[in-house]
Amino acid sequence: MVSVCLYFHVHQPHRLRNYHVLDIGEDNDYFDTEENKRILQRVTEKCYLPMNNLLLDLIENHPDRFNVSFSISGTAIEQMEAHAPKALQSFQDLAATGNVEFVNETYHHSLAYLNSKDEFDKQVQKHREALNEYFNYEPTTFRNTELIFNNELAEYVENKGYTALLGEGADHLLGWRDPNHIYSTPITDDIDIFLRNYELSDDIAFRFSNESWEHHPLGADTFAEWIDAINGAGEIVNLFMDYETFGEHQWASTGIFDFFEAMVNDVLDNRDNDFLTIEQASDRYPQRGEVDAHHYTSWADARRDLGAWQGNELQRQAHDELYKLEEFVKESDDNDLIEAWRRLTTSDHVYYMYTDGRSDGDVHDHFSPYDSPYKSYMFYMNALNDVARRLGTTSQQRPLSETPSTLLNDIPEEEERMHS
Amino acid sequence: MNILMLGWEFPPFFAGGAGMVCKELTRALNDLGVNVTFVMPKGPKDVYQRVNEQTPDSFEIRIADSHRKTTFVPIQSLLGAYDSQQKYSERYDEVEGADNAEDTLYGGNLEEEMYRFANVVTSMFHDEDFDVIHAHDWVTHPAAKQLKEVTGKPLITHVHITEHDKSGGLGVDPFIESIEKEGVDASDRVITVSHRLKERLIESYDQPANKIDVVHNAPLPMDKGEGAKTFFHDLDQKIVLFAGRVTLQKGPEFFVDAAAEALQHDESLLFVVAGDGDMLGDVMEKAAEHGISKHFLFTGFYTREEANALFSMADVFVMPSVSEPFGIVPYEAQTMGTPTIVSKQSGISEVLNHTFLVDFWDTRRMAEYMLSLAHYETMNDVMATNGQQEVEERTWHGPADECKTIYEELKSQW
């Protein structure tokens, strides 16, 4: 018996507009609402609606054997509500089938765990409430932004009551072992670690339309055979990917939708196979081994580390400055300001600042709204300078500092901040 | 592979930008196993002040390194680098006036001299063994064209700039324009130093796009040296630098307008205009009109060594050129670790990744990039490091390889 765990990630950031130096103090709308709306509506038409309909059909045809898991960031949910209500309704229809799990994460798709546990907890709670409100769902599975995790994070979320956690099936974690089992960590008790099968996931997400790939064009029957072949050697196949794979990264014209439908039917032709949510698989299968995640891993780029978001000095510096403003922002009791600051915690902003010109850089460019990582840094830092100005404690009307927090009066002692 | 290359300058005879490019290109071609015979016009010694002491007098010499495969052939002629009809006449009068024994050798005007040069080249090389003729810019075009007609060998014209770029669209010399047009018309393939220049040839000279290959220049070697780091070494201000000829084409007045906008946000910036040119007075006046003269320094003409010092002291280098077929100076600034802001109306903007690109007229954006690079020091550092690296990674091996591919294609078709 093999159970396929499909997990789809849905996310839309609030992308920054070209927020110029001379806008500081003049305009505190940092986000490009029109562009964000345009992108969301395009993805809704090309991906969310057709793929949700396909999943609804498959659930209807195989109500007992076809289940899927989703994570939908809070920033995606709220933008759908505002600009693409049909998309939100469509996800709610999926929720109503009972065959869909919603995985909990940070509402703002942030890297808060790395910088502020307090902010991390708040964003996770806010996302949990959103899953309750929009999908009537009580989550038990957790995923951190970009599948970033290590042993301590697993322990942290286990202590919060989660029973399953998603991670990347990175080679350096698994060594000779495969990702087709549930794992534990050395410092956790019961939480089930589900590791992405990156080979099979990326066959669909990245290689499907690559004409120079040896298996192109990939047949549904071929892929189903690869899954069947895991019978006897593994229990689960974790196919984790961005939901935009369907229709946006791989256009409809590549045949991705037909492939997916045929693949599900082919896999289910073997009566031993089924598709389970993470939660269902966690209930059914035992832990078979332990992975020791000393260092953070993620599902991004070739190195599977934090390099995509914290790899260069621009990214680290911008992120540090953001969190140095945290306490001041929260003390302001200015809800607009707090929400603007939270939107700046979204990991996409630092992702756009990636400067490596190698092959991964191409992937970053593909997803970046800016033509240069320096511009994305500049607009971001300009926004942080304006946040500092709005806090009203800087003496400069139009600050322009790479350390805007130092412009604020009454800077608390380092120790005090550490304890807060 | 044997190439007959026609150019109009080559160090040490005249060390202008195009001459440096020819030298680096032929050296890199030699490394790829391509033999080059480089032919250029060379006047009597006393005509050019800048001719080096070591100028050889013989008609044919080997370049010093014996393993090099370049044969260098200077031909007595009054044709000069960056020539015009007027400059030629002045030079001709000068030679006549000096009562040079060879004065009857030269053509009475630029056109006559170009065709005389073409006849000499053709008579010298019509039965030489070479595969492709490769000619740089218009002065040698009639010679290249005639040699092609006589020998039937394929011709590549390598365009670095056109008359249209030099004149900024005003006062195009119809004679030079027609020489350029005939030159590219007669060519089997054309190389331009940028896509921008390729578009120019398509539009102004009616060339088919598939005849033109873009081969971007690589950086010229720089002696980083220690530089004379003596100017303003105690200064606590951030320095924004313009360096180049102060002429309409280089856009210095946009630099001043951008400075005025940037100063509204930060009065501590210092703007340095390095270089001389016919617009220097206008630029000074413009700064005065804005009331920002005290934030400006004008250095006038600068030496290579001073340029290095300027680049390494500056926090930001700006090239606001109105029109620049290539524009090699940002390579030099980045080599010295200075982040750059580069006009989108330049050929070099097509190859730089670690820079800010800006329309020359968009002084507000230009000001913003100046301010950001002055204040966001982390960004300045990261851009400086990456910018230096990207220039170091570009060598003449790339352009030479692209030329060699074109040679091979032409040779196989002949």
Side-chain angles (χ1 to χ4, degrees), chain A residues 63-283:
Chain A
D64 302 322
R65 297 173 65 213
F66 185 74
N67 305 277
V68 295
S69 297
F70 272 99
S71 65
I72 309 180
S73 71
T75 55
I77 294 171
E78 67 193 16
Q79 290 190 79
M80 280 188 232
E81 186 172 39
H83 305 304
K86 275 197 294 185
L88 184 58
Q89 181 59 52
S90 169
F91 282 111
Q92 288 169 329
D93 293 344
L94 276 171
T97 64
N99 290 41
V100 175
E101 173 186 28
F102 291 90
V103 174
N104 202 175
E105 63 176 322
T106 55
Y107 186 94
H108 288 86
H109 196 273
S110 74
L111 305 174
Y113 183 84
L114 306 176
N115 290 64
S116 166
K117 296 289 191 295
D118 176 62
E119 179 60 17
F120 175 76
D121 290 346
K122 286 193 168 73
Q123 292 193 9
V124 171
Q125 180 59 29
K126 189 171 158 75
H127 189 247
R128 170 177 283 273
E129 287 164 10
L131 295 183
N132 273 264
E133 181 186 341
Y134 290 97
F135 305 114
N136 192 25
Y137 197 88
E138 195 61 50
T140 60
T141 301
F142 188 79
R143 80 141 218 162
N144 190 29
T145 304
E146 307 290 357
L147 301 196
I148 292 167
F149 95 106
N150 65 2
N151 293 336
E152 283 70 32
L153 185 140
E155 184 183 38
Y156 191 87
V157 298
E158 177 172 49
N159 289 338
K160 298 281 182 187
Y162 296 94
T163 53
L165 173 68
L166 307 187
E168 172 68 21
D171 292 339
H172 65 270
L173 276 185
L174 285 166
W176 55 270
R177 297 170 299 179
D178 62 49
N180 307 326
H181 300 277
I182 294 173
Y183 288 91
S184 61
T185 80
I187 64 169
T188 49
D189 295 323
D190 296 320
I191 192 167
D192 289 336
I193 313 292
F194 284 75
L195 298 174
R196 188 173 84 107
N197 185 319
Y198 69 79
E199 284 284 346
L200 291 173
S201 299
D202 290 347
D203 285 344
I204 298 175
F206 290 127
R207 287 181 283 273
F208 182 76
S209 61
N210 179 355
E211 288 175 15
S212 58
W213 181 39
E214 58 178 319
H215 297 292
H216 184 274
L218 179 62
D221 48 348
T222 306
F223 194 83
E225 279 168 27
W226 293 345
I227 288 186
D228 261 343
I230 291 167
N231 262 303
E235 293 151 327
I236 52 174
V237 182
N238 295 325
L239 302 182
F240 300 174
M241 61 196 79
D242 280 336
Y243 200 41
E244 284 87 347
T245 297
F246 303 95
E248 176 77 8
H249 304 165
Q250 311 287 348
W251 293 350
S253 60
T254 64
I256 189 77
F257 292 108
D258 295 338
F259 163 84
F260 185 83
E261 182 174 19
M263 182 273 288
V264 170
N265 288 322
D266 285 355
V267 168
L268 292 176
D269 278 347
N270 180 339
R271 299 302 304 171
D272 287 340
N273 299 337
D274 58 6
F275 288 81
L276 296 184
T277 65
I278 303 295
E279 186 176 31
Q280 290 164 335
S282 173
D283 288 343

Side-chain angles (χ1 to χ4, degrees), chain B residues 34-46:
Chain B
V34 176
N35 299 308
V36 179
T37 302
F38 194 95
V39 181
M40 68 169 271
K42 185 187 91 61
K45 254 190 200 175
D46 52 351

Side-chain angles (χ1 to χ4, degrees), chain B residues 217-254:
Chain B
N217 290 327
L220 298 170
M222 267 180 97
D223 178 14
K224 286 201 214 172
E226 282 307 297
K229 296 194 181 185
T230 48
F231 320 101
F232 357 108
H233 57 85
D234 289 332
L235 212 62
D236 199 21
Q237 286 170 283
K238 298 285 185 182
I239 299 171
V240 185
L241 174 68
F242 170 101
R245 282 181 292 119
V246 186
T247 60
L248 186 74
Q249 188 206 345
K250 303 291 178 184
E253 72 271 41
F254 299 100

Side-chain angles (χ1 to χ4, degrees), chain B residues 294-305:
Chain B
K294 66 173 179 174
H295 301 279
F296 269 77
L297 277 178
F298 296 88
T299 72
F301 180 81
Y302 55 88
T303 65
R304 290 248 28 117
E305 195 183 33

